[in-house]
């Protein structure tokens, strides 16, 4: 049986995917395909290249990834992600979708045409970075003469390829919002509105998910709150471990209903 996992976007909250993947790996649940966008594309690429999820967290912490970012002078954004390419080449030296250990599909938004694009072959790193280019924060990435930005602009939970290729779909989302009692400040208002926007079609998408892992209230964490990285990792890891028997049971039930090809 083919098990797929979809990893949402969510800035620093995407560290949660590493916690989920660590638990899934340690409990020997085989993943046959990964889809992701933005932070989910980064986590998915590292995992698909057989990098242990906790090691991926340590890479983020030890390299202080944000210090690799450079101001994007005379550009339509504040920072450039392209300056991080040498860092990613250290951990993805082949720079190729085809050489990953697990098939990976990621989304990005073609900014020239205003269309969603799925990347699944060819050069890897620039496409992962394109998927992560939050508009206005990171400069768009040019690929084959056209500009690309964050896939979450048009699809923050790219489950669609898994529905065609997998028998069982695990969803990892890091954008759960609790009910609101009061506004903290204007930054809080804007950030909550952004999360509400990317969550707007989740109800429909979840119809295709067999098992959802979504740590409570994580959507309240700021996109760039790097101080919470380790906390987010273990929060998601523990949430997954608590439900791992339930996940295995659901996989077994689905497997018994799958007719072999």
């Amino acid at each position: 049986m083919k098990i797929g996992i979809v990893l949402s976007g969510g800035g620093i909250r995407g560290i949660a995917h590493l916690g989920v993947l660590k638990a899934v790996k340690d409990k020997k649940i085989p993943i046959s395909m990964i889809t992701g966008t933005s932070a989910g594309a980064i986590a998915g690429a590292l995992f698909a290249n057989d990098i242990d999820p906790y090691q991926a967290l340590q890479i983020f912490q030890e390299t202080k990834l944000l210090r690799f970012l450079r101001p994007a002078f005379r550009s339509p954004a504040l920072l450039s992600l392209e300056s991080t390419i040498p860092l990613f080449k250290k951990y993805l030296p082949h720079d190729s979708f085809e050489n990953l250990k697990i098939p990976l599909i990621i989304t990005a938004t073609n900014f020239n045409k205003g269309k969603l694009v799925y990347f699944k072959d060819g050069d890897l790193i620039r496409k992962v970075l394109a998927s992560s280019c939050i508009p206005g924060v990171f400069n768009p990435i040019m690929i084959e003469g056209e500009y690309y930005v964050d896939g979450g602009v048009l699809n923050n939970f790219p489950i669609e390829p898994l529905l065609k290729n997998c028998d069982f779909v695990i969803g990892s989302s890091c954008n759960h919002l609790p009910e609101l009692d009061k506004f903290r400040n204007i930054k809080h208002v804007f950030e909550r509105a952004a999360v509400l926007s990317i969550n707007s079609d989740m109800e429909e998408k979840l119809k295709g998910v067999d098992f959802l892992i979504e740590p409570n209230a994580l959507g309240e964490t700021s996109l760039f709150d790097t101080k919470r990285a380790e906390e987010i990792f273990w929060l998601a890891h523990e949430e997954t471990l608590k439900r791992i028997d339930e996940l295995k049971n659901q996989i077994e039930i689905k497997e018994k209903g799958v007719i072999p090809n």
Side-chain angles (χ1 to χ4, degrees):
M1 184 165 89
K2 292 183 178 180
I3 300 173
I5 187 165
V6 51
L7 311 173
S8 73
I12 196 63
R13 299 189 295 269
I15 292 287
H17 301 316
L18 297 177
V20 172
L21 291 167
K22 176 66 173 171
V24 166
K25 178 182 179 182
D26 289 350
K27 295 302 178 179
K28 303 190 184 320
I29 295 174
I31 300 298
S32 302
M33 179 176 285
I34 302 168
T35 61
T37 195
S38 198
I42 296 174
L46 294 173
F47 186 76
N49 204 44
D50 204 25
I51 294 174
D52 182 80
Y54 188 68
Q55 182 189 356
L57 171 65
Q58 291 176 313
I59 291 168
F60 174 83
Q61 293 179 311
E62 292 171 7
T63 60
K64 295 180 172 55
L65 179 61
L66 294 183
R67 74 181 172 85
F68 281 83
L69 302 177
R70 296 289 182 269
F73 296 113
R74 298 180 182 178
S75 299
L78 299 174
L79 299 168
S80 172
L81 274 178
E82 293 191 68
S83 56
T84 67
I85 290 175
L87 173 64
F88 279 98
K89 280 192 174 178
K90 183 177 179 181
Y91 300 102
L92 301 166
H94 51 74
D95 191 15
S96 164
F97 278 88
E98 286 81 3
N99 286 318
L100 293 171
K101 304 296 190 296
I102 303 172
L104 171 71
I105 300 175
I106 60 176
T107 63
T109 300
N110 184 315
F111 217 41
N112 295 78
K113 297 177 180 177
K115 293 183 178 180
L116 183 72
V117 174
Y118 291 94
F119 289 126
K120 61 180 180 178
D121 51 33
D123 295 344
L124 173 66
I125 295 173
R126 290 183 66 83
K127 291 167 184 174
V128 168
L129 294 179
S131 179
S132 308
C133 279
I134 301 171
V137 177
F138 300 122
N139 202 33
I141 298 281
M142 182 174 281
I143 299 172
E144 297 180 357
E146 296 187 312
Y147 286 108
Y148 290 84
V149 297
D150 198 311
V153 171
L154 295 178
N155 189 347
N156 201 54
F157 197 73
I159 188 176
E160 292 79 5
L162 298 181
L163 299 178
K164 302 174 184 177
N165 295 288
C166 296
D167 306 304
F168 190 96
V169 176
I170 300 170
S172 179
S173 174
C174 55
N175 299 304
H176 176 266
L177 284 173
E179 290 187 13
L180 187 66
D181 294 324
K182 60 181 180 180
F183 301 113
R184 296 193 297 270
N185 49 46
I186 191 168
K187 178 172 175 283
H188 180 214
V189 172
F190 281 123
E191 288 184 343
R192 184 177 177 88
V195 177
L196 286 171
S197 177
I198 63 175
N199 282 343
S200 62
D201 60 352
M202 279 295 286
E203 185 174 346
E204 184 64 28
K205 286 178 177 287
L206 289 179
K207 292 177 182 178
V209 173
D210 294 290
F211 196 87
L212 177 67
I213 302 168
E214 187 178 47
N216 188 50
L218 199 54
E220 285 286 272
T221 301
S222 176
L223 283 174
F224 301 106
D225 190 357
T226 57
K227 293 179 181 178
R228 289 199 66 196
E230 180 121 10
E231 176 190 352
I232 290 169
F233 178 95
W234 291 115
L235 180 74
H237 183 262
E238 289 171 13
E239 173 74 13
T240 308
L241 285 182
K242 275 192 256 183
R243 302 184 59 206
I244 206 74
D245 288 339
E246 180 188 355
L247 172 57
K248 287 183 174 181
N249 184 55
Q250 289 299 315
I251 291 172
E252 185 179 351
I253 291 172
K254 190 73 176 282
E255 189 169 21
K256 288 179 179 177
V258 171
I259 300 174
N261 293 326

